[in-house]
């Protein structure tokens, strides 16, 4: 009997206390939730503001720049590790650390990396009474500047306006710092003329050049990719393996390096 009365007394004290604790806990949750809401709302507001600023920057960027960033795979291009596949074009300059080990052939310099295969190709062609000589090999940036300026002046003398004269010259002559000839891995052969395409020498190259690691760098059906008009006389050394693959895949160097990158080759 005494235990029952004691239990009732304790129950009358603890029930209000428990109810108070529960109510306090609920209120605390509401307060914390509210502050959490305010914090999250501020975070959302800041994120929205940042996104709006980024969108405004994109909207205000020139359309040509946007297209280049979105469509130009050679923007901030990273060279492949194989030096024989070094890419130099109007969008990709010669790497700053590039070095040429010169060797003389026909009064022109070429890089040692291709010297052996180039002389072997000339000797093989000579045995079939087909003759080649190097009209132009390695060029420094200074030499490229002189060549481009000369071509521009010739166009000016022909009556072109300055802008048109330079644009016309750049169709076949690269900007200084952006020429394959800086690599020492490119050669212009024989007469450096459109007529070269009609010669026995060109026909021999079309059949045998890849056997020695060479490809015609600028072809008529790749102008939209290379940015250079058809040059039947300009050959680039990439090594026998790559030359064979480029011919099999019908790819110019720009296409080939991107093809390799897609395969995960670095």
């Amino acid at each position: 009997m005494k235990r029952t009365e004691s239990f009732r007394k304790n129950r009358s004290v603890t029930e209000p206390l428990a109810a108070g604790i529960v109510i306090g806990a609920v209120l605390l949750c509401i307060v914390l939730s509210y502050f959490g809401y305010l914090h999250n709302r501020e975070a959302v507001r800041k994120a929205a503001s940042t996104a709006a600023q980024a969108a405004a920057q994109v909207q205000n960027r020139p359309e040509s720049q946007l297209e280049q960033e979105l469509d130009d795979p050679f923007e901030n291009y990273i060279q492949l590790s194989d030096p024989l596949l070094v890419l130099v074009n109007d969008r990709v300059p010669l790497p700053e650390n590039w070095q040429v080990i010169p060797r003389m052939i026909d009064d022109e310099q070429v890089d040692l990396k291709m010297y052996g295969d180039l002389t072997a190709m000339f000797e093989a062609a000579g045995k079939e009474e087909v003759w080649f000589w190097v009209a132009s090999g390695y060029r420094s940036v200074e030499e490229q500047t002189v060549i481009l300026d000369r071509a521009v002046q010739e166009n000016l003398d022909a009556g072109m306006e300055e802008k048109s004269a330079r644009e016309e010259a750049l169709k076949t002559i690269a900007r200084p710092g952006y020429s394959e000839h800086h690599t020492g891995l490119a050669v212009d052969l024989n007469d450096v003329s459109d007529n070269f395409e009609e010669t026995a020498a060109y026909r021999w190259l079309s059949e045998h050049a890849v056997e020695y690691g060479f490809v015609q760098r600028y072809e008529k059906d790749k102008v939209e990719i290379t940015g250079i008009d058809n040059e039947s006389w300009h050959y680039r050394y990439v090594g026998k393996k790559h030359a064979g693959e480029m011919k099999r895949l019908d790819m110019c160097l720009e296409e080939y390096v991107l093809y390799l990158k897609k395969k995960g080759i670095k």
Side-chain angles (χ1 to χ4, degrees), residues 41-61:
R41 186 176 66 175
E42 180 64 15
V44 171
R45 187 192 67 79
K46 287 182 178 180
S49 176
T50 301
Q53 291 175 3
Q57 290 176 354
V58 171
Q59 187 174 8
N60 294 330
R61 204 172 304 163

Side-chain angles (χ1 to χ4, degrees), residues 7-249:
F7 173 75
R8 287 175 179 172
K9 186 181 291 185
N10 291 337
R11 182 179 176 185
S12 64
V13 173
T14 56
E15 284 182 348
L17 180 61
I21 292 173
V22 171
I23 293 171
V26 171
L27 290 174
L28 181 61
C29 289
I30 293 172
V31 171
L32 290 175
S33 297
Y34 178 70
F35 280 111
Y37 162 73
L38 291 178
H39 175 74
N40 290 335
R41 186 176 66 175
E42 180 64 15
V44 171
R45 187 192 67 79
K46 287 182 178 180
S49 176
T50 301
Q53 291 175 3
Q57 290 176 354
V58 171
Q59 187 174 8
N60 294 330
R61 204 172 304 163
E63 185 176 346
S64 58
Q65 183 180 347
L66 278 174
E67 288 177 354
Q68 186 180 44
E69 291 175 358
L70 294 172
D71 300 330
D72 189 356
F74 301 109
E75 180 77 11
N76 302 316
Y77 178 78
I78 297 175
Q79 297 284 353
L80 292 170
S81 59
D82 189 340
L84 296 183
L85 295 178
V86 62
L87 178 69
V88 179
N89 60 28
D90 193 50
R91 290 155 288 176
V92 182
L94 182 76
E96 292 182 2
N97 60 349
W98 186 260
Q99 292 184 340
V100 173
I101 303 174
R103 287 293 182 272
M104 294 297 298
I105 181 169
D106 296 330
D107 297 325
E108 290 288 327
Q109 291 183 337
V110 298
D111 190 87
L112 177 63
K113 291 189 263 314
M114 79 170 189
Y115 178 78
D117 282 331
L118 182 64
T119 54
M121 184 171 73
F122 283 9
E123 290 172 4
K127 290 177 181 178
E128 299 182 34
E129 298 189 351
V130 176
W131 311 106
F132 294 106
W133 61 92
V134 177
S136 183
Y138 166 74
R139 293 181 204 152
S140 67
V141 173
E142 292 74 20
E143 289 172 320
Q144 189 72 16
T145 301
V146 171
I147 290 171
L148 179 60
D149 288 347
R150 185 190 305 141
V152 171
Q153 188 58 52
E154 288 175 356
N155 292 335
L156 290 171
D157 294 341
M160 289 187 183
E161 294 182 357
E162 186 170 351
K163 182 180 178 182
S164 298
R166 185 173 180 81
E167 289 176 348
E168 185 65 24
L170 287 171
K171 288 181 179 179
T172 55
I173 301 172
R175 291 183 293 150
Y178 293 78
S179 171
E180 269 210 330
H181 284 281
H182 299 329
T183 68
L185 299 175
V187 288
D188 290 340
L189 298 175
N190 293 20
D191 295 328
V192 189
S193 162
D194 290 335
N195 295 330
F196 181 63
E197 203 162 359
E198 307 301 324
T199 66
Y202 178 76
R203 290 191 291 273
W204 192 94
L205 283 172
S206 298
E207 185 175 350
H208 299 289
V210 295
E211 299 169 15
Y212 299 89
F214 290 86
V215 295
Q216 183 181 333
R217 179 66 173 90
Y218 306 118
E219 298 182 275
K220 62 184 68 175
D221 61 340
K222 303 293 184 180
V223 173
E224 292 298 320
I225 301 169
T226 64
I228 300 293
D229 280 352
N230 179 60
E231 292 189 356
S232 58
W233 61 86
H234 183 110
Y235 278 76
R236 164 64 191 269
Y237 184 71
V238 294
K240 296 173 184 176
K241 174 186 173 182
H242 297 307
E245 278 296 280
M246 288 173 68
K247 183 172 184 179
R248 181 182 71 83
L249 296 167

